[in-house]
PDB file of all heavy atoms in Angstrom:
ATOM      1  N   THR C  10      -6.657  26.011   4.246  1.00 98.00           N
ATOM      2  CA  THR C  10      -7.170  27.069   3.422  1.00 98.00           C
ATOM      3  C   THR C  10      -6.004  27.572   2.532  1.00 98.00           C
ATOM      4  O   THR C  10      -6.249  28.048   1.430  1.00 98.00           O
ATOM      5  CB  THR C  10      -7.762  28.195   4.283  1.00 98.00           C
ATOM      6  OG1 THR C  10      -8.551  27.617   5.306  1.00 98.00           O
ATOM      7  CG2 THR C  10      -8.652  29.068   3.472  1.00 98.00           C
ATOM      8  N   HIS C  18       3.361  25.168   6.784  1.00 98.00           N
ATOM      9  CA  HIS C  18       2.670  24.075   6.137  1.00 98.00           C
ATOM     10  C   HIS C  18       3.707  23.072   5.526  1.00 98.00           C
ATOM     11  O   HIS C  18       3.521  21.850   5.635  1.00 98.00           O
ATOM     12  CB  HIS C  18       1.788  24.578   4.981  1.00 98.00           C
ATOM     13  CG  HIS C  18       0.683  25.500   5.425  1.00 98.00           C
ATOM     14  ND1 HIS C  18       0.513  26.740   4.873  1.00 98.00           N
ATOM     15  CD2 HIS C  18      -0.288  25.364   6.305  1.00 98.00           C
ATOM     16  CE1 HIS C  18      -0.534  27.324   5.429  1.00 98.00           C
ATOM     17  NE2 HIS C  18      -1.072  26.517   6.300  1.00 98.00           N
ATOM     18  N   LYS C  45     -14.142  28.088   9.865  1.00 90.00           N
ATOM     19  CA  LYS C  45     -13.603  29.459   9.902  1.00 90.00           C
ATOM     20  C   LYS C  45     -14.799  30.425   9.828  1.00 90.00           C
ATOM     21  O   LYS C  45     -15.775  30.183   9.135  1.00 90.00           O
ATOM     22  CB  LYS C  45     -12.620  29.718   8.764  1.00 90.00           C
ATOM     23  CG  LYS C  45     -11.269  29.070   9.077  1.00 90.00           C
ATOM     24  CD  LYS C  45     -10.155  29.533   8.199  1.00 90.00           C
ATOM     25  CE  LYS C  45      -8.841  28.978   8.772  1.00 90.00           C
ATOM     26  NZ  LYS C  45      -7.805  28.761   7.791  1.00 90.00           N
ATOM     27  N   ASP C 108      -3.614  23.227  16.756  1.00 96.00           N
ATOM     28  CA  ASP C 108      -4.842  24.044  16.854  1.00 96.00           C
ATOM     29  C   ASP C 108      -6.048  23.278  16.310  1.00 96.00           C
ATOM     30  O   ASP C 108      -7.150  23.416  16.846  1.00 96.00           O
ATOM     31  CB  ASP C 108      -4.664  25.370  16.093  1.00 96.00           C
ATOM     32  CG  ASP C 108      -4.292  25.198  14.623  1.00 96.00           C
ATOM     33  OD1 ASP C 108      -3.371  24.441  14.334  1.00 96.00           O
ATOM     34  OD2 ASP C 108      -4.968  25.836  13.763  1.00 96.00           O
ATOM     35  N   ARG C 109      -5.774  22.419  15.317  1.00 97.00           N
ATOM     36  CA  ARG C 109      -6.916  21.629  14.740  1.00 97.00           C
ATOM     37  C   ARG C 109      -7.280  20.492  15.636  1.00 97.00           C
ATOM     38  O   ARG C 109      -8.439  20.006  15.617  1.00 97.00           O
ATOM     39  CB  ARG C 109      -6.573  21.157  13.344  1.00 97.00           C
ATOM     40  CG  ARG C 109      -6.271  22.226  12.299  1.00 97.00           C
ATOM     41  CD  ARG C 109      -7.245  23.368  12.205  1.00 97.00           C
ATOM     42  NE  ARG C 109      -8.637  23.060  12.232  1.00 97.00           N
ATOM     43  CZ  ARG C 109      -9.394  22.839  11.197  1.00 97.00           C
ATOM     44  NH1 ARG C 109      -8.855  22.783   9.996  1.00 97.00           N
ATOM     45  NH2 ARG C 109     -10.677  22.604  11.333  1.00 97.00           N
ATOM     46  N   ARG C 133       2.193  23.353  17.307  1.00 97.00           N
ATOM     47  CA  ARG C 133       2.242  24.737  16.874  1.00 97.00           C
ATOM     48  C   ARG C 133       2.599  25.595  18.061  1.00 97.00           C
ATOM     49  O   ARG C 133       2.037  25.379  19.120  1.00 97.00           O
ATOM     50  CB  ARG C 133       0.892  25.216  16.294  1.00 97.00           C
ATOM     51  CG  ARG C 133       0.718  24.913  14.845  1.00 97.00           C
ATOM     52  CD  ARG C 133      -0.484  25.552  14.261  1.00 97.00           C
ATOM     53  NE  ARG C 133      -0.189  26.845  13.643  1.00 97.00           N
ATOM     54  CZ  ARG C 133      -0.962  27.436  12.748  1.00 97.00           C
ATOM     55  NH1 ARG C 133      -2.104  26.859  12.419  1.00 97.00           N
ATOM     56  NH2 ARG C 133      -0.609  28.557  12.208  1.00 97.00           N
ATOM     57  N   SER C 162       1.797  31.917  10.644  1.00 98.00           N
ATOM     58  CA  SER C 162       0.410  31.588  10.286  1.00 98.00           C
ATOM     59  C   SER C 162      -0.012  32.459   9.059  1.00 98.00           C
ATOM     60  O   SER C 162       0.551  33.542   8.858  1.00 98.00           O
ATOM     61  CB  SER C 162      -0.514  31.834  11.456  1.00 98.00           C
ATOM     62  OG  SER C 162      -0.676  33.241  11.666  1.00 98.00           O
ATOM     63  N   SER C 163      -0.999  31.987   8.372  1.00 98.00           N
ATOM     64  CA  SER C 163      -1.522  32.771   7.237  1.00 98.00           C
ATOM     65  C   SER C 163      -2.149  34.040   7.760  1.00 98.00           C
ATOM     66  O   SER C 163      -2.045  35.093   7.077  1.00 98.00           O
ATOM     67  CB  SER C 163      -2.568  31.943   6.474  1.00 98.00           C
ATOM     68  OG  SER C 163      -2.014  30.720   6.005  1.00 98.00           O
ATOM     69  N   THR C 164      -2.779  33.965   8.915  1.00 98.00           N
ATOM     70  CA  THR C 164      -3.399  35.188   9.494  1.00 98.00           C
ATOM     71  C   THR C 164      -2.356  36.267   9.696  1.00 98.00           C
ATOM     72  O   THR C 164      -2.555  37.416   9.340  1.00 98.00           O
ATOM     73  CB  THR C 164      -4.049  34.859  10.838  1.00 98.00           C
ATOM     74  OG1 THR C 164      -5.065  33.822  10.600  1.00 98.00           O
ATOM     75  CG2 THR C 164      -4.681  36.070  11.464  1.00 98.00           C
TER      76      THR C 164
HETATM   77 MG1   MG I   2      -5.539  27.883  10.566  1.00 50.88          MG
END
Side-chain angles (χ1 to χ4, degrees):
T10 316
H18 297 126
K45 283 195 170 151
D108 57 311
R109 301 311 316 271
R133 272 189 97 162
S162 71
S163 303
T164 299

